[in-house]
Each structure stands twice: as C-alpha cells, then as structure tokens.
Amino acid sequence: MPIDTKQLLVDAFKRLAQTRDIDKITVKALIDECHISRQTFYYHFENIIDLMEWSMRRETRELVEQGLRMEDMRSALEIFIAFTVKQYPLLQKLMQSQRRPQFEKYMVDSLSLYLGEMARHHGRSILMSAEDREVLVRYNVCGLVGVLLSFCGRPDLDQARLAAQLEKVLNGEMLEWGGA
C-alpha cells in the first residue's frame, strides 16, 4: 500500500504539472487531487522535493533494470533517450522552476548511476584513480544532461541516431575537433 500511495502522489504531481507552474504545486493541491489527508502525505514524504527525489530514484532504478536487459550500450542509451523525450515537457518545467538546483542534482546523480551500471554491465572497465573516474563520469554526465535537454524536445529527433552518437562519445570515438 505505501508504494501505491507514493506513486499516486507522484502521478498527481505530474498531472498538476501539466497545467500549473511547478512552483505553484503545493502539498494541499496534491492531497486534494489524491483525496487523501495531509497526514497521509507527510507519512510518505517530508515535502514536495522528497516526492520528486523518490520518483527520480524509482524511475532511474527502472531505467537501469531495462538497460541491463539490453544487449549493448546503444540500446540502453535508446531507453534513456526515449524516457527523456516522453518526460520532456515535465523536465522543461522543472528546469524553469525554483527547484532547478535540486532537480539538476537528482538528474546528474540519476544519470551517473545509470551510466555506471550500464558501463559495468556492458563490459566497460575504467582503469584509473577514483578521483579521475569521478571527473570523467561527471564530465560525461553533465554533457549528456545538456545534450538530452537540448535535443529531446526536438520534433524531428532521430532517437536511434542520437543514441549512436552518444555511444561514440562515451566510447571515445568522437574526440577529433578538426578534420573532415
């Protein structure tokens, strides 16, 4: 039951975000939408930020599980891209809200987890110091977040092509700036 109530609240948040400014969504609006008590909301979440964090952790875990079932990194990237395209309107609203700093942190943390799991699963071992690995992962994650937010709202986006391009970037195949 608790997970169902939590998901009910997340779904209500997403519905409200379709018609309201993210910063205007209150606990009262959520409990009214779900027909639950304020006490029930606070039993499950400390606040709306906690709700968003729980949702992102859950969705990331599901994406990782789907990605791990894929044969290769490109297919796993396609899953993440498709998710981003589907959630793009909500992502844009979150990026324009006062909660942007928390959201960016969750997005970077989620993508870091996702990439780390995909790399381990698809045989990408990184032989370097922990400090260097942290910089490499953070660099790639911040770049991927930027690319996803820049490209996934385009109506003409070729998701498979973007996944192939991102796979090349992650494999180090797109390092040359000069040339043809």
Side-chain angles (χ1 to χ4, degrees):
M1 175 79 171
I3 290 179
D4 292 339
T5 302
K6 284 184 168 189
Q7 191 59 52
L8 177 74
L9 286 160
V10 167
D11 293 343
F13 178 84
K14 288 179 179 181
R15 275 192 311 278
L16 290 172
Q18 291 174 357
T19 59
R20 295 184 188 186
D21 184 334
I22 296 286
D23 297 320
K24 304 282 188 214
I25 298 174
T26 63
V27 171
K28 175 147 178 36
L30 287 171
I31 64 175
D32 288 349
E33 179 79 11
C34 295
H35 307 290
I36 62 171
S37 69
R38 183 174 291 275
Q39 182 179 358
T40 300
F41 176 89
Y42 286 111
Y43 175 79
H44 295 288
F45 298 109
E46 290 181 30
N47 51 39
I48 291 178
I49 297 294
D50 187 34
L51 176 146
M52 291 169 47
E53 185 177 349
W54 180 85
S55 176
M56 289 192 72
R57 277 194 315 264
R58 186 170 191 207
E59 289 172 345
T60 299
R61 194 171 45 249
E62 290 170 5
L63 287 169
V64 167
E65 289 171 8
Q66 289 175 24
L68 291 175
R69 291 191 294 267
M70 297 296 104
E71 295 176 18
D72 55 27
M73 178 69 84
R74 184 180 304 177
S75 299
L77 285 166
E78 286 176 354
I79 289 171
F80 204 85
I81 291 167
F83 172 80
T84 306
V85 167
K86 180 179 177 188
Q87 296 295 326
Y88 189 78
L90 177 61
L91 296 175
Q92 280 300 105
K93 283 190 163 198
L94 286 166
M95 293 302 285
Q96 295 166 358
S97 77
Q98 293 175 2
R99 295 182 174 105
R100 180 182 180 140
Q102 295 96 340
F103 172 68
E104 280 181 335
K105 180 189 180 314
Y106 303 144
M107 193 165 181
V108 167
D109 290 348
S110 296
L111 194 49
S112 294
L113 171 66
Y114 187 76
L115 277 184
E117 290 296 320
M118 293 304 102
R120 278 189 285 287
H121 181 74
H122 294 293
R124 305 287 200 289
S125 60
I126 302 173
L127 303 174
M128 61 179 64
S129 70
E131 294 87 11
D132 287 348
R133 182 176 23 259
E134 181 181 358
V135 169
L136 178 64
V137 167
R138 186 61 55 148
Y139 176 82
N140 281 302
V141 165
C142 289
L144 284 172
V145 168
V147 167
L148 291 171
L149 292 175
S150 295
F151 284 81
C152 289
R154 294 181 179 180
D156 62 340
L157 175 66
D158 181 340
Q159 293 182 32
R161 180 172 169 82
L162 181 59
Q165 290 169 316
L166 290 175
E167 181 183 40
K168 284 181 180 180
V169 169
L170 293 172
N171 285 334
E173 297 172 28
M174 261 196 206
L175 295 176
E176 291 293 323
W177 284 93

